Amino acid sequence: MAFGILLINFVAKYESMNANEKAINLFATRMRQLILQYKDVKKENAELYVMVDERDAQIRQLQGQLSQLQRDYDSLKMAKMIEITDTDLDGAKKRLSKLIRDVNKCITLLSEQ
């Protein structure tokens, strides 16, 4: 009978150890899974930082291009205003020359009479 009690105690302790061992194995498996997930998230985070840095560089480049294009546009606008002013000046000179010729003709005609 003592042997039966010893056997029952041994089986109970074995089952208890087996349950603890299963719990430890489950815990270790979950920890490995968490570590793998952490590594994946860390890698993804690094990739996202690289993408953000690339986008920031692209934004700075585009802002520079925009500023240059704005300066070019302002220069062209100014040149067009000067061109229009020059055209108006040339037209005014031509009209003034024609008026002077007309006055000279009138003076000549008056002088002849």
Side-chain angles (χ1 to χ4, degrees):
M1 182 88 165
F3 177 72
I5 294 175
L6 285 175
L7 184 61
I8 292 174
N9 285 338
F10 176 76
V11 169
K13 286 182 182 180
Y14 178 75
E15 287 177 357
S16 175
M17 279 182 29
N18 198 14
N20 287 338
E21 194 173 300
K22 285 181 182 178
I24 290 172
N25 285 339
L26 180 62
F27 178 76
T29 301
R30 296 279 165 83
M31 285 303 294
R32 282 192 293 273
Q33 289 173 343
L34 282 175
I35 290 170
L36 290 174
Q37 287 178 345
Y38 169 77
K39 288 179 181 179
D40 289 343
V41 168
K42 188 174 177 181
K43 180 182 175 187
E44 182 182 5
N45 192 32
E47 291 170 356
L48 290 173
Y49 270 108
V50 168
M51 286 175 57
V52 167
D53 289 342
E54 289 172 355
R55 297 294 160 99
D56 286 347
Q58 185 180 21
I59 288 170
R60 282 191 299 277
Q61 178 190 7
L62 291 173
Q63 285 174 335
Q65 286 178 351
L66 178 62
S67 296
Q68 182 61 43
L69 289 171
Q70 186 66 43
R71 286 190 298 273
D72 291 348
Y73 173 74
D74 291 341
S75 296
L76 287 172
K77 192 165 64 172
M78 183 65 72
K80 186 67 175 171
M81 286 176 20
I82 291 171
E83 180 182 312
I84 290 171
T85 303
D86 287 345
T87 303
D88 290 346
L89 185 60
D90 289 341
K93 284 181 182 179
K94 288 178 184 177
R95 286 192 304 275
L96 186 57
S97 294
K98 184 177 182 313
L99 286 172
I100 291 172
R101 282 192 305 271
D102 289 346
V103 168
N104 284 339
K105 285 180 187 178
C106 288
I107 291 172
T108 305
L109 287 172
L110 289 173
S111 299
E112 291 175 355
Q113 292 182 1

